[in-house]
Amino acid sequence: MTAPLDTDIIIVGGGPVGLTAAMDLNSRGVRSLVIESRRYLEAPNVKCNHVASRTMERLRRLGVADQVRAAGLPSDYPQDIAFRTTMTGIEFGRIPIPSTARRRSDPVGPDADWATPEPPHRVNQKYLEPVLMAHAAGLPLVTLLNETRYLDFEQDEHGVSARIVDRDGVERTVRGRFLIGADGGRSAVRKKIGATFRGDPVLQRVQSTCIRASGLYELMPGERAWGYYIFNPRRNGHVYAIDGKGTFLVHNYLTPEEDDGSGVDRDAAIRTILGVDSSFDYDVVSKEDWIARRLVADRLRDRRAFIAGDAAHLWVPYAGYGMNAGIADVLNLTWVLSAYIAGWGDEGILDAYEAERLPITDQVSRFAMAHQRKIAQSDVPLEIEDTTVAGQVARRRLGEQAYALNVQQFAAAGLNYGYSYSRSPIIAYDGESAPAYTMGSYTPSTVPGCRAPHFWLADGTSLYDELGKGYTVLSLGDPAELRGLLDAADAVGVPLKVIDIDRALAPATYRHNYLIVRDDQHVAWRGDTAPKDPGALLDRLRGRLPAPVSGEPGDIVAVDAVAAGTA
């Protein structure tokens, strides 16, 4: 006899990844139960400082983007990145990033003209998590189990049973259809499914200290900034404004000779980065030293159990792309799980998660590692703090180098929009290759697997706001041609919405008359005529066809070319 279900999805971990998964599942009519050891609304220590544009786009559809954008720094606080000799020293470069208030009025900066309904936002995870948790707690299909620890799970052909224990020491078992491990870098779920981290375990060690220094702003010259990159011959560090009032996160990057940092005077290092002497007072709020790594799990799934976020990958946390990549993981996963639970997705649709996310995860980890190595290898001229001509020249050169290197991570259009799924079992490829994936630059494309480029519809709404919960046909041709496709979708229960598009409004990259776009914004198929065999195409999109042997797009073109009417 099959044990009764307590929920559809058990989520281990109530951080940003787990909470976003729960919110997204709720929007799809799927129940979830979140297991989190911390108290309700208990904020974590200061961590990630950046919510990427792709994340904000989804939070918009989940109805929480405005609350997130209102959290953290004051609305008029600049989100710039400044390059200085010390916090109180000489500034020699700056990446302008608009404040929250200026985003909507007169934005200026390298990410100000991005084609998106939701630009990125700088807010520390300390403020982000309570917003997400409060929102999730109010959703009808989400159950939060705070002050509860996950112990173990077992799975069978019908579901997953997880053992948990509450704050009073009472153990019980909860039952769900699937389990998502969003339980961090030390993930017990990862170990349970037999996944192993591979990569580079130590790239650099970092002393990280959150301080409260209310008098620091009075000593600092020039405009305020969200992030400060400090370069001097004695110490290199990064400092981030947490609340805009005097709380800062100070990263002291250790040299290879300093090993684990046990012999490094934390206070002296902080004062060197700040540019203050022993008479300046500050308080230590928390310490959370960390190691820059590049580790990626060799698998993301064992039957009904999946891992996402730090449980699946750890890398240098530049620009918050560890957290944001984790959120991208679960938004991919919740989409396919919901399709399967709803009944229109076949067993093969679940294979898409690992096939799509694992290659991207590996690529992003290598971007982060390469960026870390370039920063670590930066030479700081001895004369950088001199008021001489030589000092001015040194600062100008380093400022130009620092800008060119770091604008790639702080205005990372490529990381946000440029990744494509080139080896998916549920995408109908047509033989054209996607543009190269880079960290900083983005080339819009409608190649299957790419993010459908954003544009605004005739009534001023965002294209993404109108996408359906399953698939959406963007029709730039005669919608009457789609009758066969719509009938075939209705027959097998695939949710398929049609949006008629005025070609004059669509970017030039929309060359084809018809495109099928997934709920997660990725193009699944395109063609100049409606598919001649819509049933075959729908079988591909809902996971009924076998995955390609080698994983190359060309392996599945033959099947889908017939469906698309191009073979």
Side-chain angles (χ1 to χ4, degrees):
M1 180 176 177
T2 303
L5 295 173
D6 297 292
T7 190
D8 292 314
I9 312 292
I10 299 169
I11 301 171
V12 182
V17 174
L19 291 171
T20 302
M23 291 189 295
D24 196 63
L25 289 167
N26 177 86
S27 76
R28 302 174 189 282
V30 178
R31 298 174 299 156
S32 67
L33 184 152
V34 182
I35 302 165
E36 172 54 46
S37 61
R38 287 174 296 148
R39 299 187 306 275
Y40 177 64
L41 298 185
E42 178 183 347
N45 287 338
V46 291
K47 293 182 180 180
C48 173
N49 285 285
H50 178 217
V51 184
S53 174
R54 283 294 288 268
T55 301
M56 290 297 297
E57 288 174 352
R58 192 63 196 178
L59 295 181
R60 173 191 179 98
R61 297 201 71 189
L62 295 174
V64 72
D66 289 343
Q67 295 96 302
V68 169
R69 208 172 284 283
L73 295 168
S75 63
D76 61 348
Y77 193 98
Q79 297 185 10
D80 300 358
I81 297 87
F83 307 119
R84 295 185 173 184
T85 56
T86 65
M87 289 287 281
T88 59
I90 305 170
E91 182 170 320
F92 52 89
R94 179 175 287 248
I95 301 173
I97 303 291
S99 67
T100 298
R102 199 169 184 185
R103 277 284 183 201
R104 299 302 187 190
S105 58
D106 183 29
V108 174
D111 66 356
D113 61 350
W114 284 0
T116 176
E118 289 291 341
H121 179 59
R122 268 74 185 176
V123 57
N124 193 271
Q125 194 170 325
K126 174 184 177 67
Y127 301 111
L128 172 66
E129 270 195 38
V131 171
L132 299 182
M133 185 168 286
H135 186 79
L139 299 175
L141 301 181
V142 176
T143 299
L144 296 181
L145 295 183
N146 289 96
E147 299 182 81
T148 301
R149 290 187 298 112
Y150 157 84
L151 297 175
D152 196 7
F153 80 87
E154 298 296 335
Q155 61 178 309
D156 53 47
E157 61 180 317
H158 301 293
V160 180
S161 298
R163 286 196 306 117
I164 60 176
V165 58
D166 66 20
R167 65 179 180 180
D168 297 320
V170 178
E171 287 192 25
R172 65 184 175 108
T173 298
V174 291
R175 179 86 173 163
R177 295 171 185 262
F178 297 94
L179 181 143
I180 299 174
D183 50 339
R186 296 183 176 89
S187 173
V189 176
R190 181 183 67 246
K191 296 168 185 172
K192 178 72 174 184
I193 70 172
T196 302
F197 269 154
R198 296 178 179 176
D200 301 274
V202 180
L203 297 175
Q204 190 172 27
R205 297 179 187 272
V206 183
Q207 277 186 345
S208 185
T209 313
C210 181
I211 66 170
R212 187 172 293 110
S214 57
L216 187 59
Y217 280 121
E218 298 174 9
L219 303 178
M220 293 167 53
E223 279 280 321
R224 295 185 178 190
W226 160 70
Y228 300 85
Y229 272 37
I230 305 303
F231 300 88
N232 64 60
R234 303 172 302 285
R235 281 284 160 203
N236 285 352
H238 300 165
V239 182
Y240 297 96
I242 302 303
D243 59 4
K245 301 174 183 177
T247 303
F248 299 89
L249 179 61
V250 182
H251 292 328
N252 171 33
Y253 288 86
L254 304 180
T255 66
E257 294 75 23
E258 290 172 326
D259 193 30
D260 63 358
S262 58
V264 176
D265 186 324
R266 185 184 297 264
D267 174 70
I270 290 172
R271 292 183 184 280
T272 301
I273 291 169
L274 300 184
V276 298
D277 60 26
S278 58
S279 66
F280 180 79
D281 292 327
Y282 70 87
D283 298 316
V284 173
V285 177
S286 62
K287 304 173 186 176
E288 193 163 344
D289 299 348
W290 49 275
I291 299 173
R293 313 176 187 272
R294 191 197 71 82
L295 298 172
V296 177
D298 58 355
R299 60 190 299 192
L300 303 181
R301 176 192 180 193
D302 174 25
R303 293 167 289 164
R304 290 180 173 267
F306 301 80
I307 55 174
D310 285 354
H313 44 74
L314 289 171
W315 55 64
V316 188
Y318 284 133
Y321 285 101
M323 180 194 76
N324 289 286
I327 290 174
D329 290 342
V330 290
L331 292 177
N332 180 291
L333 178 56
T334 52
W335 183 80
V336 297
L337 285 174
S338 299
Y340 181 80
I341 290 172
W344 62 265
D346 200 74
E347 180 78 27
I349 204 169
L350 301 178
D351 297 331
Y353 173 59
E354 185 173 284
E356 293 181 353
R357 291 303 303 171
L358 198 53
I360 296 302
T361 292
D362 185 69
Q363 283 181 285
V364 174
S365 74
R366 294 180 187 278
F367 287 159
M369 179 181 68
H371 194 82
Q372 180 272 334
R373 286 177 170 170
K374 289 176 182 177
I375 289 180
Q377 293 167 1
S378 298
D379 291 326
V380 179
L382 295 177
E383 65 273 20
I384 190 73
E385 296 172 289
D386 293 353
T387 57
T388 61
V389 172
Q392 293 175 356
V393 171
R395 288 189 292 274
R396 176 179 57 78
R397 288 176 177 171
L398 184 56
E400 291 171 351
Q401 294 169 5
Y403 181 97
L405 177 60
N406 289 289
V407 74
Q408 298 175 63
Q409 64 155 319
F410 290 114
L415 277 185
N416 270 279
Y417 312 131
Y419 62 84
S420 64
Y421 298 138
S422 62
R423 302 181 180 184
S424 175
I426 61 170
I427 291 176
Y429 300 101
D430 58 15
E432 184 177 344
S433 297
Y437 181 33
T438 68
M439 185 173 179
S441 61
Y442 163 59
T443 302
S445 174
T446 62
V447 167
C450 292
R451 168 188 183 258
H454 179 262
F455 60 95
W456 299 95
L457 301 178
D459 62 358
T461 60
S462 165
L463 169 67
Y464 299 155
D465 289 347
E466 295 300 316
L467 294 179
K469 289 297 182 184
Y471 288 100
T472 300
V473 181
L474 304 184
S475 174
L476 290 82
D478 182 0
E481 282 196 35
L482 299 172
R483 188 69 265 161
L485 175 62
L486 294 175
D487 289 344
D490 186 63
V492 295
V494 173
L496 186 61
K497 178 180 179 179
V498 177
I499 301 177
D500 291 329
I501 302 296
D502 182 347
R503 190 175 287 276
L505 294 176
T509 49
Y510 283 85
R511 308 191 316 265
H512 297 74
N513 287 331
Y514 307 102
L515 297 92
I516 296 180
V517 179
R518 304 181 342 184
D519 181 17
D520 65 356
Q521 305 169 353
H522 286 266
V523 177
W525 169 89
R526 63 182 180 174
D528 282 322
T529 62
K532 294 181 178 179
D533 186 349
L537 175 60
L538 290 168
D539 281 349
R540 168 63 65 198
L541 301 189
R542 61 196 183 107
R544 287 182 61 84
L545 297 182
V549 175
S550 69
E552 292 302 323
D555 295 328
I556 60 177
V557 168
V559 172
D560 295 314
V562 174
T566 58

